Amino acid sequence: MVSSPKRVHSVDLESKVHQSSVKKARTRRLLNMLSTPTITLNRVEQRVCKLLVDAAAEIDSTRVNDNEEPLTLRITGGWVRDKLLGGECNDIDVGINKMTGFEFATRLSKFLQDNMNRYKIPAKNIHKIESNPEKSKHLETATTRILGLDIDFVNLRSEAYTSESRIPQMEFGTPTQDALRRDACINALFFNLHTHEIEDFTKRGFQDMKERLIRTPLPPFETFNDDPLRVLRLIRFASRLEFDIVVDAKKAMKDPRIKKALRQKISRERTGAEIEKMLKGPHPFRALSYINELDLYESIFAPTDESLNLPNLPKDDMIVSATILLNLSAPAKFVGFRELLSNDLDSYVGWVLAALAPWKGHQFPGVDTKKNIPAAATAARDGLCAPIKLYDTIIRAYRNYGYIQDFARESLETPNASDMSRSKVGVFIRQLGADWKSQFLCALLLETIPVWTRNVVNTESKKVWEKYHVLLANIKELGLMHAHSIRPILDGRKMLEKLDQKKSGPFMKKAMDSLVVWQLDNPECDEEAAGDWVVKNKKDLLAQ
C-alpha cells in the first residue's frame, strides 16, 4: 500500500497534473513493453563498455588459478535507473567484484596505453579519491573521464554499522550484499557489462520501476537507522522522479528515533546538500510536501544546538508558502511576477525562503538579538550549512519584509508611476540591494500566508497580490529593475573638484547618495549637468 504526499493545500494547476499523468503513463508503457528488461547503449557507451570488458579480460588472462572467480564488471545505481526510464546519464559507477576501484583503474590506464591505436581512445589520468565518510565517500574509489563520460570505479562491498555513527565498516561483498546495502530498490539494479543483462538482486527493483515506487531493500527502520541521510535521499528521488514512497518506509521516516538521528548524526553540510538538490530539482514543491507530511521540519530547517529552546513553530506555514509560490510560478498564470523567478538561482532562493516561513518573527536570544539576525537565517546557517551569500539574503529578506509590505501598501495608494517619484522607488530598491527581488518575493509570500485558503486563490490573497503587482509594475515602468546597480555619474575626484574641497571627509557619502537621488529623477542628464547640480547645491551637500 502506498500513498502520495498529503495535499493539505492543493493547487489549481491542471496543466502540471496533466503533464505528470502523461509522464507516469509513458513510463509504465515503456517498462511494461519490456517483459525482459533491457538497456540499449548509445555509441559512446558501447565503445566505453567494450574497452572495460576487454581490459577485464586482459587482467583475467593473468589468473593463476582457473577455479578463481572471473573479474566481473557491473554498472550500478542511477545510470541503470535513468536508462530504464528512457533518459541518458553521463555519470557511471562501475562495481568490481574482486579488485579495488583504484587497482582496476590503474590497470585500465596501462591497457589503454598499450592499445591506443586499437580503441582510438587516449589514455586518461586516474584520480584516486580517498574515503571520506563525512562526504558520504565510505570507500576509496578511482575516477576518470572517457569520451565525455565520468566514470567511478569501486569494489562491490558490504556494510556494517554501529549505533553511534552513520559511518559503516566496509568489506568486499557479493553483488547481493552490495545491492541490499543501497538506499532504494530502484537504485540497486545492476547492468552486467559482460552479459548486458539487468540484474535485480533485491528482487523488487524492476517491479518498483514499473509501479513507480520507492522502497528500501532491507527493512526501512534498519536502513534509516544505519544511515539517516537515506531519508532525505529517498525524498529527493521520490520528488525528482515523481515516484511514491511506500507506506512502510514513510512510517519509519516518521519514527521519532529516526528523526532524532537525522538531526544529530548527519552533518549539516550533507543535509544542506540534499535539500539544495531537492529545491533545485524539477519538483521542489513535492519535496517540501513530503517533508511536511513526514513531520521532518525541525530535523532539517532548524539549528541542532540542544541548548536552544525551539519555539512552537507553525510548521504548516512552510507548505502554505510553498503552495503560494507554486501558484505564482505557474507559466500560464500571474505573468506579472515572472521577473521574480527569472532564472534557476532566483527560483532556488525562492523555495528556500518559502521553506523558512515558519520562522517569521522569531529571533534567538543572545548574539542574534544583539545583531538583529532573524531566526530564519540562523536556522538556514546552522541547519543547512547555508553558504554566506544565501545566508545574507535570508537575513535581509526576513529583516525587511515589513518595510517592503508597507512600501507596497503605499504604492497601491498611488497606482500611477508618475504619482510616485522615480527617486523614491529607486531608493527603495537600493536600500534592499542586489537581491531585492528575492526579498520582495519573501514579503509577498509572508503577507499572503494568513489569508490563504486551501484550494483556491481567494479574494483576500488576490488583494495582496494586486498590491505587489502594482508596485512591481511601477518599478518596471520607471525602468528601475536594476536601480541597485546605479553608480554616481561623478567619481570622487570630480565630486571634490565641484565641491571645491581638497580632500574627502564625512560629507562625501551624503554628497554621493544625494547625487544618485538626483540621477534617479533626472535619468537623461549627463555629467556636465550633474556637475552643475553639485555646484548649485554645494552648501547643502557639505552640511554635516
Side-chain angles (χ1 to χ4, degrees):
M1 181 179 178
V2 300
S3 60
S4 299
K6 65 182 179 181
R7 307 186 188 282
V8 294
H9 300 285
S10 60
V11 290
D12 180 24
L13 296 173
E14 299 88 348
S15 61
K16 284 185 177 287
V17 172
H18 175 69
Q19 291 169 10
S20 176
S21 300
V22 169
K23 182 177 179 180
K24 291 180 180 180
R26 186 185 300 120
T27 301
R28 288 195 179 96
R29 286 197 303 271
L30 175 66
L31 294 173
N32 285 333
M33 287 190 296
L34 304 175
S35 54
T36 302
T38 60
I39 284 177
T40 301
L41 303 178
N42 61 39
R43 290 185 178 181
V44 170
E45 291 166 343
Q46 290 175 20
R47 290 178 64 189
V48 171
C49 289
K50 176 173 172 50
L51 167 67
L52 298 180
V53 170
D54 289 351
E58 173 74 15
I59 295 169
D60 244 358
S61 68
T62 62
R63 276 188 297 164
V64 177
N65 184 354
D66 290 339
N67 294 324
E68 183 183 345
E69 179 185 10
L71 182 62
T72 305
L73 308 179
R74 295 173 170 89
I75 299 180
T76 64
W79 180 90
V80 182
R81 179 198 67 227
D82 290 348
K83 292 288 284 189
L84 283 172
L85 290 172
E88 294 294 334
C89 182
N90 292 327
D91 294 319
I92 296 179
D93 294 329
V94 177
I96 307 161
N97 64 325
K98 61 171 190 173
M99 184 179 288
T100 69
F102 185 70
E103 183 182 358
F104 176 80
T106 302
R107 300 283 293 271
L108 171 65
S109 181
K110 177 67 166 56
F111 179 79
L112 257 180
Q113 291 173 6
D114 295 341
N115 295 274
M116 188 83 69
N117 293 332
R118 177 182 176 187
Y119 294 97
K120 308 299 182 185
I121 298 175
K124 295 291 184 178
N125 292 330
I126 302 298
H127 302 284
K128 184 177 182 179
I129 302 176
E130 302 289 350
S131 63
N132 187 346
E134 288 305 318
K135 299 282 188 180
S136 287
K137 288 289 184 182
H138 300 308
L139 203 65
E140 171 190 291
T141 61
T143 183
T144 191
R145 186 172 176 84
I146 302 177
L147 298 180
L149 299 179
D150 294 311
I151 306 177
D152 287 351
F153 300 97
V154 65
N155 58 274
L156 299 179
R157 64 265 200 202
S158 63
E159 297 177 347
Y161 288 84
T162 69
S163 60
E164 301 302 320
S165 173
R166 62 175 285 266
I167 301 173
Q169 300 296 318
M170 309 294 296
E171 297 177 351
F172 273 84
T174 66
T176 298
Q177 288 174 321
D178 193 272
L180 293 177
R181 73 172 182 82
R182 294 176 179 267
D183 50 16
C185 292
I186 64 167
N187 293 336
L189 295 166
F190 297 164
F191 180 73
N192 189 309
L193 291 182
H194 308 269
T195 65
H196 282 207
E197 293 178 343
I198 298 174
E199 299 170 331
D200 185 3
F201 291 101
T202 70
K203 309 301 182 185
R204 292 304 307 257
F206 190 68
Q207 188 62 32
D208 284 353
M209 292 285 289
K210 283 185 175 182
E211 297 177 8
R212 303 180 66 83
L213 298 179
I214 301 281
R215 82 173 74 241
T216 57
L218 296 175
F221 183 88
E222 176 185 340
T223 297
F224 301 141
N225 193 52
D226 284 345
D227 184 358
L229 186 66
R230 289 168 174 163
V231 171
L232 301 185
R233 284 176 54 82
L234 295 201
I235 292 174
R236 172 161 62 88
F237 290 126
S239 61
R240 176 191 148 200
L241 301 173
E242 295 185 278
F243 279 29
D244 292 323
I245 301 173
V246 299
V247 169
D248 285 350
K250 291 201 289 188
K251 182 179 179 181
M253 289 175 173
K254 295 169 73 172
D255 189 292
R257 292 167 292 179
I258 299 300
K259 292 196 292 184
K260 181 178 180 181
L262 178 59
R263 180 176 166 85
Q264 295 182 346
K265 288 176 64 175
I266 304 301
S267 75
R268 295 294 93 185
E269 184 180 24
R270 294 300 301 148
T271 298
E274 287 297 326
I275 295 300
E276 180 176 351
K277 291 175 184 177
M278 292 181 205
L279 300 186
K280 285 184 175 179
H283 304 292
F285 177 79
R286 186 176 175 89
L288 293 180
S289 295
Y290 269 122
I291 290 171
N292 183 69
E293 177 191 2
L294 299 170
D295 194 26
L296 296 174
Y297 191 84
E298 290 172 345
S299 296
I300 300 169
F301 297 104
T304 57
D305 187 347
E306 295 299 321
S307 67
L308 292 174
N309 293 319
L310 298 183
N312 186 19
L313 297 173
K315 289 178 284 189
D316 271 355
D317 280 3
M318 175 187 70
I319 200 61
V320 176
S321 183
T323 303
I324 297 166
L325 181 56
L326 187 62
N327 273 274
L328 290 173
S329 61
K333 301 181 180 180
F334 314 114
V335 177
F337 295 114
R338 191 167 294 166
E339 289 84 356
L340 302 179
L341 302 162
S342 58
N343 56 56
D344 291 343
L345 179 59
D346 286 345
S347 295
Y348 166 64
V349 173
W351 287 107
V352 172
L353 294 172
L356 294 168
W359 287 104
K360 171 190 172 184
H362 289 282
Q363 198 169 57
F364 289 106
V367 174
D368 281 6
T369 299
K370 186 179 297 184
K371 293 185 176 181
N372 192 23
I373 304 296
T378 305
R381 181 195 64 202
D382 297 353
L384 304 176
C385 207
I388 188 64
K389 188 172 182 180
L390 176 59
Y391 172 66
D392 287 343
T393 292
I394 297 167
I395 288 176
R396 288 188 287 269
Y398 276 86
R399 186 185 282 167
N400 295 333
Y401 68 83
Y403 166 57
I404 298 170
Q405 290 169 357
D406 290 343
F407 199 89
R409 189 175 303 112
E410 182 180 351
S411 178
L412 185 63
E413 296 170 357
T414 53
N416 297 318
S418 59
D419 294 336
M420 181 175 282
S421 72
R422 192 171 188 272
S423 60
K424 184 171 185 176
V425 179
V427 168
F428 164 74
I429 298 295
R430 291 176 65 79
Q431 286 180 337
L432 297 178
D435 55 5
W436 72 268
K437 290 192 294 183
S438 294
Q439 298 179 55
F440 189 98
L441 176 64
C442 185
L444 168 57
L445 295 175
L446 295 179
E447 190 166 356
T448 308
I449 288 174
V451 298
W452 185 258
T453 53
R454 294 191 173 207
N455 300 316
V456 295
V457 181
N458 63 15
T459 302
E460 292 304 311
S461 59
K462 283 182 178 179
K463 287 181 180 178
V464 173
W465 292 4
E466 177 63 20
K467 178 171 60 176
Y468 286 85
H469 180 269
V470 167
L471 175 53
L472 190 58
N474 284 352
I475 293 170
K476 289 191 288 185
E477 185 177 340
L478 292 168
L480 294 172
M481 294 293 286
H482 302 285
H484 59 278
S485 61
I486 294 175
R487 298 179 64 84
I489 197 170
L490 300 179
D491 61 22
R493 182 183 60 81
K494 291 180 180 178
M495 175 64 80
L496 288 174
E497 184 181 294
K498 295 297 181 182
L499 291 173
D500 196 22
Q501 298 293 307
K502 292 183 178 181
K503 61 180 181 178
S504 183
F507 62 86
M508 184 59 88
K509 183 179 186 306
K510 175 186 175 183
M512 286 298 194
D513 289 345
S514 298
L515 176 58
V516 170
V517 172
W518 178 84
Q519 287 175 223
L520 287 167
D521 282 331
N522 300 273
E524 303 300 325
C525 289
D526 58 13
E527 187 175 315
E528 181 180 354
D532 292 342
W533 177 84
V534 171
V535 171
K536 181 179 178 181
N537 294 274
K538 179 169 66 173
K539 182 177 179 180
D540 290 338
L541 295 176
L542 290 173
Q544 298 299 313

